[in-house]
Amino acid sequence: MSLGALMEEKRRATTSSSSSSQVHMPTKDVDWQMLDKSRFFFLGAALFSGVSTALYPIVVLKTRQQVSPTRVSCANISLAIARFEGLRGFYKGFGTSLLGTIPARALYMTALEITKSSVGQATVRLGLSDTTALAVANGAAGLTSAVAAQVVWTPIDVVSQRLMVQGDLSLSKHLPGVMNSCRYRNGFDAFRKILYTDGPRGFYRGFGISILTYAPSNAVWWASYSLAQKSIWSRYKHSYDHKEDACGSVVVQALSAATASGCSALVTMPVDTIKTRLQVLDAEENGRRRAMTVMQSVKSLMKEGGFGACYRGLGPRWVSMSMSATTMITTYEFLKRLATKKQK
């Protein structure tokens, strides 16, 4: 039996004793067993690629702010890119990123749905309340999906982020010793050169810290999202009780996603800045270039601007995460309903 069916059965069993206080969600959750998998992945690749295209310029701004040795506003970075690099500057590394997004998203969604379904069924059988069961299932799903996706996303991050910062003249000027000296024509050229200079390990720079960044962040995000969604619906239960309201669903999902994203961005920002620097910058010792360590990255940030330097790029990251999460979750929920198997 699916998680949704178990929870529905539990709700029916308790209706007579708690009908006055129970919150009715307007749309039934679509579980993993209910999905047409081929349709789910095909439509998912198309929908999420469109979302990534729209939000990519914000990611470029965030990345350049994080590796910048001085505090630079988004407006100044945007003007510099537009003036010296044109529109293409906002999409450097996009092809590589898009190419990796498809398998990474497939891994992410598979791990997310399977874990959410399995853990959700276990928590319901243990007798936990609907709210607790949803939070635990979503938190565990967020954790495992982030770990699974990083196997693909870390190499893609390393290549695409190096392409993103390649045209930033201020980096070459202020960080001549640590700015990567290689020039890349495209993603394939970057892949070849990284493999030649650093070996396969070069593609997994910052893998450990990526897990430390995204695994807890995803666990907190999905748990917070389910709790926020339940809380927001509870405020309007009299308006939406026993009704199927598609527009209301989208609004609540968007508000819940934005709320969860703000907290997640604020908490994980320092670790994300360190991760980005590990993947993009090099250290120089005795005239030899080598990968930067976590401690070297931290010391560099403290020297440049103290703890506040760890929050460079917070603005675009907050906007990016909120917009991305809001768009992704509404797209994701819409996708699951499009890919639901037809009832026979």
Side-chain angles (χ1 to χ4, degrees), residues 105-181:
R105 283 287 172 199
L107 271 174
Y108 184 90
M109 291 189 294
T110 301
L112 182 75
E113 288 299 324
I114 290 176
T115 306
K116 188 160 56 170
S117 180
S118 301
V119 176
Q121 289 178 39
T123 54
V124 169
R125 289 195 180 101
L126 287 173
L128 299 180
S129 67
D130 286 1
T131 302
T132 305
L134 280 171
V136 171
N138 277 287
L143 185 71
T144 56
S145 59
V147 173
Q150 283 308 309
V151 174
V152 176
W153 251 322
T154 298
I156 295 303
D157 268 352
V158 170
V159 175
S160 63
Q161 285 176 161
R162 290 196 185 192
L163 291 168
M164 284 181 201
V165 303
Q166 189 167 248
D168 196 338
L169 301 176
S170 65
L171 291 177
S172 301
K173 180 181 177 181
H174 292 99
L175 297 173
V178 296
M179 187 61 194
N180 195 285
S181 57

Side-chain angles (χ1 to χ4, degrees), residues 17-188:
S17 61
S18 61
S19 59
S20 61
S21 60
Q22 190 171 348
V23 177
H24 293 271
M25 302 292 278
T27 45
K28 192 184 293 182
D29 189 40
V30 180
D31 210 350
W32 179 248
Q33 289 86 355
M34 300 164 65
L35 295 175
D36 179 333
K37 308 302 186 298
S38 58
R39 194 178 183 193
F40 179 66
F41 289 124
F42 177 77
L43 291 173
L47 289 171
F48 287 123
S49 294
V51 172
S52 298
T53 303
L55 298 176
Y56 194 79
I58 301 175
V59 178
V60 172
L61 294 178
K62 186 264 306 183
T63 303
R64 291 203 180 187
Q65 277 195 321
Q66 286 181 315
V67 300
S68 174
T70 57
R71 190 185 181 103
V72 186
S73 70
C74 285
N76 287 338
I77 293 177
S78 299
L79 289 172
I81 293 175
R83 181 181 177 186
F84 297 108
E85 303 169 58
L87 181 62
R88 291 181 63 184
F90 291 100
Y91 282 91
K92 284 196 169 180
F94 176 67
T96 302
S97 179
L98 188 61
L99 191 66
T101 292
I102 295 172
R105 283 287 172 199
L107 271 174
Y108 184 90
M109 291 189 294
T110 301
L112 182 75
E113 288 299 324
I114 290 176
T115 306
K116 188 160 56 170
S117 180
S118 301
V119 176
Q121 289 178 39
T123 54
V124 169
R125 289 195 180 101
L126 287 173
L128 299 180
S129 67
D130 286 1
T131 302
T132 305
L134 280 171
V136 171
N138 277 287
L143 185 71
T144 56
S145 59
V147 173
Q150 283 308 309
V151 174
V152 176
W153 251 322
T154 298
I156 295 303
D157 268 352
V158 170
V159 175
S160 63
Q161 285 176 161
R162 290 196 185 192
L163 291 168
M164 284 181 201
V165 303
Q166 189 167 248
D168 196 338
L169 301 176
S170 65
L171 291 177
S172 301
K173 180 181 177 181
H174 292 99
L175 297 173
V178 296
M179 187 61 194
N180 195 285
S181 57
C182 290
R183 303 298 296 176
Y184 309 116
R185 293 191 300 273
N186 50 49
F188 290 110

